[in-house]
Amino acid sequence: MNWSAVAAVLLGLAVGIGAFGAHGLKGRLDDYSMGVYEKAVIYHFFHAIGLLVVSILPRVGVIPQSAGTWVCSLLLAGILLFSGSLYVLALSGITALGAVTPLGGLAFLAAWFLLAF
């Protein structure tokens, strides 16, 4: 998989989703929901940047390709589970989705610790 391309798409989505939140949702969400939405965008953005950086590491010989694939897969899973659940929670108010968010957080942690090892 071309993880650099995946990262670029995720970064573009982070910009678009963030702009939608700042302009399209202004006055439509309460302060709590807007805070949840903003947190989702921040984590989405930071981890997509991380995915972009990690996608380059195997090409320059810093880590093996297999490790890069695992770390990138975990970062993608984290973005989808963590940020995705927070986006839906903020927009829908379905609090049961809060149970999915920690799974995304665990994926983020696993990715970064795997990279460290």
Side-chain angles (χ1 to χ4, degrees):
M1 179 171 295
N2 184 345
W3 289 110
S4 295
V6 171
V9 168
L10 288 170
L11 286 164
L13 286 172
V15 171
I17 291 169
F20 172 71
H23 303 290
L25 297 177
K26 186 182 255 184
R28 294 181 182 206
L29 295 181
D30 60 25
D31 288 342
Y32 172 78
S33 295
M34 188 56 89
V36 169
Y37 191 90
E38 289 171 351
K39 186 165 306 266
V41 172
I42 289 169
Y43 275 77
H44 178 159
F45 213 113
F46 286 153
H47 288 89
I49 291 170
L51 199 156
L52 181 62
V53 170
V54 171
S55 74
I56 297 166
L57 297 180
R59 294 182 201 160
V60 296
V62 175
I63 61 173
Q65 183 66 44
S66 60
T69 297
W70 271 103
V71 173
C72 288
S73 297
L74 287 165
L75 288 171
L76 174 60
I79 291 168
L80 294 174
L81 294 171
F82 186 89
S83 294
S85 66
L86 290 181
Y87 290 137
V88 175
L89 171 65
L91 295 172
S92 71
I94 301 172
T95 57
L97 290 169
V100 175
T101 309
L103 298 175
L106 288 173
F108 287 150
L109 288 170
W112 296 122
F113 288 134
L114 179 60
L115 181 62
F117 295 112

XYZ file of all heavy atoms in Angstrom:
856
model
N 0.847 -1.186 0.000
C 0.000 0.000 0.000
C 0.887 1.242 0.000
O 1.940 1.251 0.619
C -0.909 -0.014 1.232
C -1.799 1.205 1.295
S -3.081 1.173 2.551
C -4.101 -0.157 2.002
N 0.447 2.256 -0.668
C 1.188 3.517 -0.707
C 0.747 4.364 0.490
O -0.206 5.138 0.418
C 0.931 4.240 -2.024
C 1.746 5.506 -2.146
O 2.290 6.011 -1.176
N 1.829 6.015 -3.358
N 1.468 4.182 1.598
C 1.086 4.861 2.842
C 1.248 6.371 2.754
O 0.523 7.109 3.426
C 1.881 4.289 4.018
C 1.447 2.906 4.366
C 2.150 1.755 4.181
C 0.193 2.517 4.936
N 1.410 0.676 4.611
C 0.210 1.115 5.079
C -0.943 3.223 5.338
C -0.860 0.408 5.615
C -2.014 2.508 5.867
C -1.970 1.124 6.002
N 2.165 6.844 1.935
C 2.317 8.294 1.762
C 1.058 8.885 1.132
O 0.596 9.961 1.530
C 3.535 8.621 0.903
O 4.713 8.224 1.553
N 0.494 8.180 0.162
C -0.746 8.642 -0.472
C -1.905 8.590 0.513
O -2.734 9.512 0.559
C -1.054 7.803 -1.711
N -1.966 7.523 1.309
C -3.017 7.422 2.328
C -2.906 8.598 3.299
O -3.899 9.248 3.644
C -2.929 6.077 3.085
C -3.867 6.042 4.284
C -3.224 4.918 2.141
N -1.673 8.889 3.725
C -1.450 10.008 4.641
C -1.865 11.330 4.012
O -2.494 12.169 4.668
C 0.019 10.056 5.066
N -1.523 11.514 2.746
C -1.890 12.765 2.060
C -3.404 12.929 1.990
O -3.933 14.027 2.222
C -1.280 12.790 0.661
N -4.108 11.856 1.689
C -5.577 11.918 1.655
C -6.124 12.239 3.040
O -7.010 13.088 3.194
C -6.165 10.597 1.115
C -7.671 10.529 1.334
C -5.837 10.430 -0.357
N -5.586 11.572 4.063
C -6.049 11.835 5.430
C -5.761 13.271 5.867
O -6.569 13.883 6.569
C -5.400 10.848 6.404
C -5.911 9.417 6.322
C -5.028 8.486 7.148
C -7.363 9.337 6.781
N -4.622 13.804 5.447
C -4.306 15.201 5.780
C -5.264 16.153 5.076
O -5.737 17.121 5.680
C -2.853 15.517 5.430
C -1.833 14.903 6.397
C -0.443 14.905 5.790
C -1.854 15.645 7.723
N -5.563 15.884 3.819
C -6.542 16.701 3.106
C -7.910 16.640 3.777
O -8.590 17.664 3.930
N -8.308 15.430 4.183
C -9.584 15.281 4.888
C -9.578 16.040 6.219
O -10.588 16.647 6.587
C -9.891 13.803 5.133
C -10.341 13.006 3.925
C -10.412 11.517 4.265
C -11.692 13.506 3.432
N -8.454 16.000 6.926
C -8.367 16.721 8.200
C -8.577 18.217 7.995
O -9.277 18.871 8.774
C -7.021 16.462 8.874
N -7.986 18.752 6.940
C -8.165 20.173 6.643
C -9.635 20.461 6.315
O -10.238 21.400 6.844
C -7.252 20.627 5.484
C -7.588 22.039 5.039
C -5.789 20.529 5.893
N -10.216 19.639 5.457
C -11.606 19.852 5.065
C -12.577 19.673 6.216
O -13.494 20.488 6.403
N -12.371 18.625 7.008
C -13.253 18.369 8.153
C -13.094 19.476 9.194
O -14.070 19.919 9.797
C -12.961 16.975 8.746
C -13.416 15.895 7.763
C -13.631 16.800 10.094
C -12.934 14.495 8.115
N -11.849 19.927 9.389
C -11.626 21.023 10.328
C -12.292 22.310 9.872
O -12.920 23.018 10.664
N -12.186 22.611 8.582
C -12.821 23.822 8.045
C -14.341 23.725 8.135
O -15.016 24.702 8.478
C -12.401 24.039 6.594
N -14.869 22.536 7.849
C -16.312 22.336 7.976
C -16.762 22.599 9.413
O -17.780 23.257 9.642
C -16.698 20.923 7.545
C -18.126 20.585 7.825
C -19.154 21.163 7.088
C -18.457 19.689 8.828
C -20.484 20.857 7.351
C -19.773 19.373 9.100
C -20.792 19.955 8.358
N -15.991 22.098 10.366
C -16.330 22.317 11.766
C -16.279 23.784 12.153
O -17.153 24.287 12.862
N -15.249 24.467 11.680
C -15.077 25.874 12.049
C -16.119 26.779 11.404
O -16.548 27.763 12.014
C -13.685 26.345 11.639
N -16.544 26.443 10.199
C -17.459 27.325 9.473
C -18.880 26.767 9.375
O -19.840 27.488 9.577
C -16.909 27.628 8.077
C -15.546 28.240 8.103
N -15.310 29.514 8.550
C -14.333 27.721 7.766
C -14.015 29.769 8.481
N -13.392 28.698 8.006
N -18.992 25.483 9.069
C -20.308 24.901 8.853
C -21.045 24.523 10.119
O -22.276 24.440 10.125
N -20.299 24.277 11.188
C -20.943 23.850 12.430
C -21.029 24.950 13.473
O -21.608 24.740 14.536
C -20.204 22.634 13.016
C -20.213 21.383 12.159
C -19.388 20.283 12.813
C -21.636 20.912 11.900
N -20.444 26.091 13.173
C -20.467 27.206 14.120
C -21.917 27.554 14.453
O -22.740 27.783 13.573
C -19.774 28.420 13.525
C -19.625 29.589 14.492
C -18.974 30.764 13.806
C -17.554 30.847 14.290
N -16.844 32.014 13.759
N -22.228 27.535 15.738
C -23.580 27.859 16.184
C -24.553 26.693 16.123
O -25.672 26.803 16.595
N -24.128 25.559 15.550
C -25.012 24.391 15.454
C -24.726 23.356 16.528
O -25.578 22.525 16.819
C -24.888 23.742 14.084
C -25.396 24.638 12.992
C -25.281 23.982 11.656
N -25.745 24.917 10.634
C -26.235 24.553 9.484
N -26.322 23.288 9.173
N -26.623 25.461 8.629
N -23.504 23.372 17.058
C -23.135 22.433 18.116
C -22.943 23.198 19.416
O -22.487 24.341 19.411
C -21.824 21.713 17.765
C -21.819 20.791 16.550
C -20.436 20.166 16.383
C -22.875 19.710 16.672
N -23.261 22.543 20.532
C -22.998 23.170 21.820
C -21.489 23.137 22.085
O -20.723 22.529 21.331
C -23.789 22.483 22.938
C -23.460 21.007 23.111
O -22.349 20.578 22.738
O -24.321 20.269 23.627
N -21.064 23.799 23.138
C -19.630 23.914 23.420
C -18.972 22.550 23.629
O -17.861 22.311 23.163
C -19.392 24.791 24.653
C -19.668 26.259 24.380
O -19.698 26.653 23.193
O -19.855 27.018 25.357
N -19.663 21.646 24.335
C -19.102 20.317 24.578
C -18.880 19.582 23.258
O -17.799 19.049 23.002
C -20.023 19.499 25.489
C -19.576 18.063 25.609
C -18.503 17.717 26.433
C -20.193 17.060 24.879
C -18.070 16.409 26.524
C -19.770 15.749 24.969
C -18.711 15.428 25.791
O -18.288 14.130 25.873
N -19.902 19.545 22.413
C -19.798 18.831 21.136
C -18.746 19.455 20.232
O -18.009 18.746 19.537
C -21.154 18.802 20.432
O -22.078 18.053 21.191
N -18.640 20.780 20.245
C -17.614 21.438 19.437
C -16.229 21.081 19.955
O -15.308 20.850 19.157
C -17.814 22.951 19.423
C -16.905 23.673 18.446
S -17.025 23.085 16.737
C -18.306 24.115 16.114
N -16.071 20.994 21.255
C -14.791 20.580 21.832
C -14.420 19.162 21.436
O -13.261 18.871 21.128
N -15.401 18.268 21.441
C -15.172 16.883 21.019
C -14.753 16.861 19.550
O -13.810 16.168 19.170
C -16.441 16.027 21.251
C -16.326 14.670 20.571
C -16.710 15.864 22.740
N -15.445 17.613 18.731
C -15.152 17.678 17.295
C -13.731 18.208 17.069
O -12.965 17.646 16.281
C -16.179 18.576 16.612
C -16.150 18.515 15.107
C -16.931 17.599 14.411
C -15.352 19.382 14.366
C -16.908 17.544 13.020
C -15.318 19.324 12.981
C -16.107 18.404 12.315
O -16.081 18.345 10.947
N -13.379 19.275 17.765
C -12.047 19.855 17.613
C -10.963 18.885 18.055
O -9.904 18.802 17.421
C -11.957 21.167 18.391
C -12.772 22.285 17.762
C -12.879 23.523 18.633
O -12.468 23.488 19.823
O -13.397 24.530 18.132
N -11.204 18.133 19.129
C -10.229 17.145 19.591
C -10.039 16.068 18.531
O -8.922 15.627 18.268
C -10.669 16.514 20.906
C -9.622 15.578 21.489
C -9.876 15.244 22.928
C -10.027 16.421 23.786
N -8.995 17.005 24.505
N -11.138 15.664 17.886
C -11.056 14.666 16.824
C -10.192 15.172 15.671
O -9.362 14.428 15.131
C -12.455 14.309 16.324
N -10.382 16.435 15.301
C -9.599 17.011 14.200
C -8.120 17.070 14.572
O -7.251 16.725 13.758
C -10.123 18.418 13.819
C -9.190 19.097 12.824
C -11.534 18.343 13.252
N -7.811 17.473 15.789
C -6.415 17.590 16.216
C -5.719 16.228 16.176
O -4.624 16.091 15.636
C -6.318 18.234 17.613
C -6.687 19.718 17.517
C -4.935 18.042 18.223
C -6.894 20.394 18.855
N -6.360 15.212 16.764
C -5.759 13.878 16.755
C -5.662 13.329 15.337
O -4.676 12.676 14.987
C -6.546 12.925 17.661
C -6.115 13.005 19.103
C -6.519 14.049 19.918
C -5.277 12.033 19.643
C -6.122 14.133 21.232
C -4.867 12.106 20.972
C -5.293 13.163 21.758
O -4.880 13.233 23.068
N -6.669 13.581 14.523
C -6.663 13.171 13.124
C -5.445 13.780 12.424
O -4.671 13.081 11.763
C -7.976 13.630 12.485
C -8.138 13.332 11.032
N -9.367 13.295 10.449
C -7.257 13.100 10.030
C -9.235 13.027 9.168
N -7.953 12.914 8.888
N -5.275 15.075 12.593
C -4.198 15.793 11.918
C -2.822 15.316 12.384
O -1.958 14.970 11.560
C -4.340 17.295 12.169
C -3.886 18.129 11.011
C -4.795 18.874 10.283
C -2.559 18.183 10.636
C -4.391 19.651 9.209
C -2.133 18.960 9.569
C -3.058 19.681 8.852
N -2.599 15.274 13.690
C -1.282 14.879 14.202
C -0.909 13.461 13.777
O 0.233 13.194 13.395
C -1.225 14.980 15.723
C -1.150 16.384 16.246
C -1.631 16.693 17.503
C -0.595 17.404 15.498
C -1.564 17.983 17.998
C -0.517 18.705 15.984
C -1.005 18.984 17.243
N -1.867 12.559 13.836
C -1.540 11.179 13.510
C -1.429 10.953 12.003
O -0.699 10.065 11.561
C -2.516 10.226 14.196
C -2.263 10.161 15.671
N -2.871 11.033 16.546
C -1.432 9.391 16.400
C -2.419 10.781 17.768
N -1.549 9.790 17.704
N -2.112 11.748 11.201
C -1.919 11.676 9.750
C -0.525 12.190 9.382
O 0.131 11.636 8.489
C -3.007 12.462 9.018
N -0.059 13.225 10.067
C 1.320 13.686 9.859
C 2.295 12.585 10.278
O 3.271 12.308 9.583
C 1.597 14.993 10.629
C 0.820 16.153 10.013
C 3.103 15.304 10.648
C 0.834 17.426 10.831
N 2.012 11.953 11.409
C 2.837 10.834 11.850
C 2.867 9.717 10.823
O 3.925 9.146 10.534
N 1.709 9.418 10.247
C 1.633 8.386 9.216
C 2.500 8.768 8.016
O 3.209 7.922 7.465
C 0.177 8.178 8.803
C -0.160 6.872 8.098
C -1.641 6.558 8.279
C 0.167 6.902 6.653
N 2.462 10.021 7.635
C 3.285 10.484 6.517
C 4.773 10.295 6.821
O 5.532 9.788 5.992
C 2.990 11.951 6.201
C 3.762 12.561 5.034
C 3.426 11.838 3.730
C 3.464 14.046 4.913
N 5.185 10.676 8.005
C 6.592 10.531 8.387
C 6.986 9.058 8.433
O 8.020 8.662 7.880
C 6.861 11.226 9.742
C 8.247 10.883 10.263
C 6.684 12.728 9.620
N 6.156 8.244 9.072
C 6.480 6.821 9.198
C 6.521 6.154 7.828
O 7.335 5.260 7.593
C 5.487 6.108 10.147
C 5.673 4.601 10.117
C 5.643 6.639 11.568
N 5.681 6.600 6.906
C 5.665 5.993 5.565
C 6.979 6.192 4.830
O 7.314 5.417 3.924
C 4.517 6.572 4.735
O 4.792 7.891 4.305
N 7.738 7.187 5.206
C 9.019 7.484 4.556
C 10.175 6.688 5.181
O 11.160 6.385 4.516
C 9.301 9.001 4.620
C 8.227 9.759 3.829
C 10.688 9.349 4.128
C 8.200 11.245 4.075
N 10.033 6.312 6.445
C 11.135 5.671 7.171
C 11.648 4.389 6.516
O 12.876 4.195 6.449
C 10.745 5.434 8.631
C 10.453 6.695 9.453
C 10.082 6.325 10.876
C 11.634 7.652 9.424
N 10.789 3.494 6.011
C 11.334 2.298 5.348
C 12.109 2.639 4.068
O 13.074 1.956 3.722
C 10.094 1.458 5.017
C 9.048 1.925 5.960
C 9.336 3.388 6.172
N 11.697 3.677 3.382
C 12.362 4.062 2.126
C 13.790 4.554 2.351
O 14.627 4.460 1.454
C 11.566 5.156 1.418
C 10.216 4.687 0.953
C 9.503 5.793 0.220
N 8.073 5.530 0.227
C 7.158 6.433 0.018
N 7.487 7.686 -0.210
N 5.888 6.107 0.046
N 14.042 5.110 3.530
C 15.385 5.617 3.824
C 16.170 4.651 4.714
O 17.256 4.982 5.190
C 15.333 7.040 4.439
C 14.762 8.023 3.447
C 14.570 7.062 5.748
N 15.589 3.477 4.955
C 16.305 2.435 5.678
C 16.319 2.546 7.184
O 17.117 1.887 7.841
N 15.447 3.374 7.756
C 15.429 3.533 9.215
C 14.737 2.362 9.893
O 15.166 1.908 10.957
C 14.749 4.873 9.600
C 14.603 5.005 11.104
C 15.540 6.036 9.034
N 13.661 1.863 9.283
C 12.933 0.712 9.817
C 12.626 -0.237 8.657
O 12.577 0.188 7.501
C 11.619 1.115 10.538
C 10.657 1.819 9.582
C 11.905 1.953 11.773
C 9.275 2.104 10.166
N 12.417 -1.529 8.970
C 12.045 -2.467 7.906
C 10.660 -2.151 7.342
O 9.818 -1.566 8.035
C 12.026 -3.829 8.604
C 12.641 -3.640 9.937
C 12.594 -2.181 10.260
N 10.416 -2.552 6.111
C 9.123 -2.314 5.463
C 7.977 -2.915 6.275
O 6.916 -2.302 6.417
C 9.135 -2.903 4.047
C 7.858 -2.644 3.264
C 7.661 -1.164 2.956
O 8.599 -0.486 2.567
N 6.453 -0.664 3.142
N 8.176 -4.109 6.819
C 7.106 -4.766 7.582
C 6.733 -3.954 8.822
O 5.548 -3.830 9.158
C 7.513 -6.185 7.975
O 8.682 -6.164 8.775
N 7.729 -3.394 9.495
C 7.440 -2.564 10.672
C 6.698 -1.298 10.258
O 5.748 -0.876 10.935
C 8.734 -2.199 11.396
N 7.110 -0.704 9.145
C 6.420 0.483 8.647
C 4.967 0.190 8.321
O 4.083 0.989 8.626
N 4.726 -0.966 7.721
C 3.350 -1.348 7.390
C 2.511 -1.512 8.652
O 1.368 -1.043 8.710
C 3.345 -2.648 6.567
O 4.035 -2.401 5.339
C 1.935 -3.120 6.274
N 3.068 -2.162 9.667
C 2.332 -2.342 10.920
C 2.030 -1.004 11.590
O 0.901 -0.747 12.014
C 3.126 -3.233 11.885
C 2.820 -4.674 11.714
C 3.588 -5.603 11.078
C 1.650 -5.355 12.159
N 2.966 -6.809 11.102
C 1.782 -6.699 11.767
C 0.514 -4.956 12.854
C 0.813 -7.651 12.046
C -0.456 -5.908 13.135
C -0.303 -7.239 12.730
N 3.035 -0.147 11.687
C 2.839 1.149 12.348
C 1.817 1.984 11.576
O 0.897 2.561 12.175
C 4.178 1.905 12.506
C 3.949 3.311 13.045
C 5.118 1.125 13.430
N 1.942 2.032 10.261
C 1.001 2.806 9.454
C -0.418 2.238 9.562
O -1.391 3.000 9.651
C 1.450 2.843 7.992
S 2.902 3.887 7.713
N -0.542 0.927 9.577
C -1.862 0.303 9.726
C -2.502 0.668 11.063
O -3.698 0.960 11.130
C -1.747 -1.221 9.615
O -1.293 -1.597 8.344
N -1.697 0.648 12.108
C -2.214 1.012 13.431
C -2.594 2.491 13.499
O -3.601 2.856 14.114
C -1.188 0.664 14.517
C -1.046 -0.828 14.817
C 0.222 -1.090 15.624
C -2.277 -1.343 15.558
N -1.800 3.352 12.869
C -2.144 4.777 12.851
C -3.443 5.010 12.087
O -4.298 5.795 12.521
C -1.004 5.598 12.247
C 0.241 5.729 13.123
C 1.386 6.366 12.340
C -0.055 6.512 14.392
N -3.611 4.331 10.962
C -4.862 4.443 10.200
C -6.042 3.956 11.031
O -7.082 4.629 11.106
C -4.764 3.660 8.894
C -6.044 3.584 8.062
C -6.517 4.975 7.648
C -5.817 2.699 6.841
N -5.883 2.807 11.679
C -6.951 2.283 12.534
C -7.274 3.266 13.653
O -8.451 3.494 13.983
C -6.549 0.924 13.110
N -6.246 3.860 14.232
C -6.463 4.829 15.301
C -7.241 6.046 14.825
O -8.152 6.517 15.508
N -6.885 6.556 13.660
C -7.599 7.719 13.120
C -9.058 7.368 12.878
O -9.968 8.121 13.252
C -6.925 8.231 11.827
C -5.563 8.858 12.154
C -7.826 9.247 11.115
C -4.695 9.129 10.930
N -9.299 6.208 12.265
C -10.675 5.816 11.968
C -11.486 5.586 13.242
O -12.628 6.058 13.350
C -10.688 4.550 11.106
C -10.113 4.706 9.697
C -10.044 3.349 9.004
C -10.919 5.695 8.881
N -10.894 4.882 14.212
C -11.633 4.558 15.433
C -11.727 5.745 16.395
O -12.801 6.041 16.921
C -10.994 3.364 16.134
C -11.070 2.035 15.393
C -10.219 0.981 16.094
C -12.508 1.578 15.271
N -10.593 6.398 16.651
C -10.580 7.493 17.624
C -11.287 8.727 17.061
O -12.324 9.148 17.565
C -9.148 7.834 18.029
C -9.057 8.851 19.142
C -9.044 8.447 20.463
C -8.985 10.209 18.869
C -8.976 9.373 21.496
C -8.910 11.145 19.880
C -8.909 10.723 21.201
N -10.712 9.277 16.013
C -11.293 10.503 15.461
C -12.664 10.238 14.859
O -13.592 11.029 15.044
C -10.363 11.114 14.420
O -9.175 11.558 15.031
N -12.803 9.122 14.155
C -14.094 8.806 13.543
C -15.216 8.719 14.557
O -16.298 9.274 14.353
N -14.961 8.029 15.674
C -16.004 7.920 16.693
C -16.309 9.274 17.332
O -17.465 9.571 17.644
C -15.625 6.894 17.764
O -14.500 7.314 18.506
N -15.285 10.103 17.494
C -15.526 11.432 18.072
C -16.290 12.333 17.108
O -17.144 13.114 17.533
C -14.208 12.089 18.489
C -13.508 11.479 19.698
C -12.237 12.250 20.017
C -14.418 11.425 20.914
N -15.999 12.225 15.803
C -16.763 13.000 14.820
C -18.243 12.631 14.900
O -19.114 13.497 14.974
C -16.272 12.746 13.389
C -14.910 13.307 13.060
C -14.004 12.552 12.328
C -14.532 14.579 13.445
C -12.753 13.045 11.993
C -13.285 15.081 13.118
C -12.394 14.315 12.395
O -11.168 14.816 12.066
N -18.513 11.342 14.891
C -19.903 10.887 14.919
C -20.556 11.251 16.246
O -21.712 11.695 16.279
C -19.999 9.372 14.636
C -21.423 8.871 14.783
C -19.464 9.058 13.247
N -19.830 11.107 17.346
C -20.357 11.479 18.662
C -20.727 12.960 18.700
O -21.821 13.328 19.148
C -19.327 11.168 19.753
C -19.613 11.687 21.156
C -20.849 11.016 21.734
C -18.423 11.450 22.066
N -19.839 13.805 18.213
C -20.096 15.250 18.239
C -21.291 15.627 17.379
O -22.090 16.487 17.762
C -18.855 16.012 17.763
N -21.416 14.979 16.231
C -22.491 15.342 15.296
C -23.835 14.705 15.639
O -24.879 15.285 15.360
C -22.091 14.965 13.867
C -20.901 15.736 13.310
C -20.466 15.149 11.969
C -21.212 17.218 13.178
N -23.789 13.519 16.237
C -25.041 12.794 16.486
C -25.474 12.804 17.940
O -26.650 12.627 18.227
C -24.899 11.340 16.028
O -24.027 10.632 16.907
N -24.526 12.959 18.849
C -24.843 12.884 20.269
C -25.004 11.464 20.781
O -25.395 11.255 21.924
N -24.703 10.471 19.956
C -24.809 9.072 20.374
C -23.628 8.750 21.282
O -22.507 8.520 20.829
C -24.826 8.120 19.152
C -25.999 8.446 18.240
C -24.880 6.668 19.605
C -25.985 7.696 16.919
N -23.876 8.750 22.568
C -22.797 8.601 23.544
C -22.227 7.187 23.579
O -21.112 6.999 24.056
C -23.275 9.004 24.945
O -24.419 8.218 25.288
C -23.637 10.480 24.998
N -22.968 6.193 23.100
C -22.465 4.816 23.089
C -21.203 4.702 22.242
O -20.388 3.796 22.453
C -23.538 3.868 22.563
N -21.008 5.613 21.308
C -19.804 5.585 20.471
C -18.547 5.890 21.274
O -17.443 5.598 20.824
C -19.940 6.576 19.321
C -20.955 6.174 18.267
C -21.223 7.330 17.319
C -20.469 4.962 17.509
N -18.734 6.455 22.450
C -17.594 6.723 23.315
C -16.845 5.455 23.686
O -15.668 5.503 24.029
N -17.510 4.301 23.578
C -16.861 3.023 23.875
C -15.849 2.634 22.793
O -14.933 1.853 23.046
C -17.914 1.927 24.028
N -15.998 3.163 21.601
C -15.091 2.847 20.494
C -13.824 3.700 20.571
O -12.742 3.248 20.190
C -15.806 3.082 19.139
C -14.865 2.882 17.972
C -17.023 2.176 19.019
N -13.947 4.898 21.074
C -12.832 5.851 21.097
C -11.573 5.297 21.745
O -10.481 5.446 21.176
C -13.279 7.167 21.766
O -14.485 7.615 21.149
C -12.217 8.238 21.646
N -11.656 4.636 22.913
C -10.424 4.112 23.524
C -9.709 3.063 22.668
O -8.495 2.928 22.756
C -10.905 3.490 24.840
C -12.188 4.169 25.138
C -12.809 4.481 23.807
N -10.458 2.341 21.830
C -9.817 1.376 20.939
C -8.900 2.107 19.949
O -7.810 1.630 19.633
C -10.858 0.545 20.201
C -11.763 -0.316 21.069
C -12.835 -0.988 20.223
C -10.948 -1.334 21.841
N -9.346 3.261 19.477
C -8.503 4.076 18.618
C -7.283 4.584 19.359
O -6.176 4.615 18.820
N -7.490 4.983 20.611
C -6.369 5.428 21.431
C -5.350 4.322 21.640
O -4.139 4.558 21.594
N -5.838 3.100 21.847
C -4.926 1.956 21.985
C -4.159 1.701 20.693
O -2.972 1.354 20.725
C -5.706 0.707 22.397
C -6.217 0.688 23.832
C -7.123 -0.527 24.057
C -5.059 0.690 24.820
N -4.825 1.882 19.561
C -4.131 1.720 18.273
C -3.029 2.762 18.128
O -1.927 2.449 17.658
C -5.128 1.813 17.116
N -3.314 4.013 18.538
C -2.283 5.054 18.496
C -1.096 4.662 19.379
O 0.062 4.750 18.963
C -2.838 6.396 18.989
C -3.771 7.095 18.041
C -4.780 7.910 18.538
C -3.651 6.972 16.659
C -5.640 8.585 17.688
C -4.506 7.646 15.798
C -5.506 8.454 16.318
N -1.394 4.248 20.611
C -0.321 3.866 21.535
C 0.496 2.706 20.981
O 1.732 2.725 21.021
C -0.914 3.482 22.894
C -1.462 4.625 23.732
C -2.235 4.074 24.925
C -0.338 5.524 24.202
N -0.196 1.700 20.461
C 0.506 0.542 19.902
C 1.409 0.961 18.744
O 2.550 0.477 18.628
C -0.505 -0.512 19.453
N 0.930 1.852 17.902
C 1.731 2.313 16.759
C 3.012 2.984 17.234
O 4.109 2.662 16.749
C 0.914 3.279 15.898
N 2.883 3.908 18.171
C 4.065 4.655 18.596
C 5.038 3.783 19.379
O 6.252 3.912 19.226
C 3.659 5.895 19.389
C 2.891 6.862 18.544
C 1.635 7.356 18.756
C 3.314 7.424 17.287
N 1.266 8.192 17.742
C 2.264 8.246 16.818
C 4.461 7.322 16.504
C 2.343 8.964 15.619
C 4.534 8.023 15.315
C 3.485 8.829 14.887
N 4.518 2.868 20.219
C 5.415 1.983 20.948
C 6.086 0.968 20.017
O 7.260 0.652 20.189
C 4.692 1.277 22.100
C 4.374 2.193 23.250
C 3.121 2.184 23.830
C 5.312 3.084 23.755
C 2.809 3.037 24.884
C 5.030 3.939 24.802
C 3.769 3.909 25.373
N 5.344 0.490 19.015
C 5.942 -0.402 18.028
C 7.059 0.306 17.278
O 8.134 -0.269 17.043
C 4.881 -0.913 17.055
C 5.365 -1.845 15.949
C 6.009 -3.098 16.528
C 4.207 -2.194 15.023
N 6.834 1.551 16.928
C 7.874 2.319 16.239
C 9.121 2.466 17.132
O 10.250 2.374 16.657
C 7.347 3.697 15.826
C 8.336 4.593 15.072
C 8.755 3.956 13.757
C 7.717 5.959 14.833
N 8.887 2.664 18.426
C 10.011 2.826 19.349
C 10.858 1.546 19.438
O 12.080 1.615 19.579
C 9.504 3.196 20.738
N 10.195 0.410 19.334
C 10.917 -0.865 19.439
C 11.390 -1.331 18.096
O 12.249 -2.098 17.928
C 10.057 -1.918 20.120
C 9.759 -1.576 21.560
C 8.482 -1.252 21.949
C 10.765 -1.563 22.506
C 8.216 -0.934 23.278
C 10.500 -1.238 23.817
C 9.215 -0.919 24.209
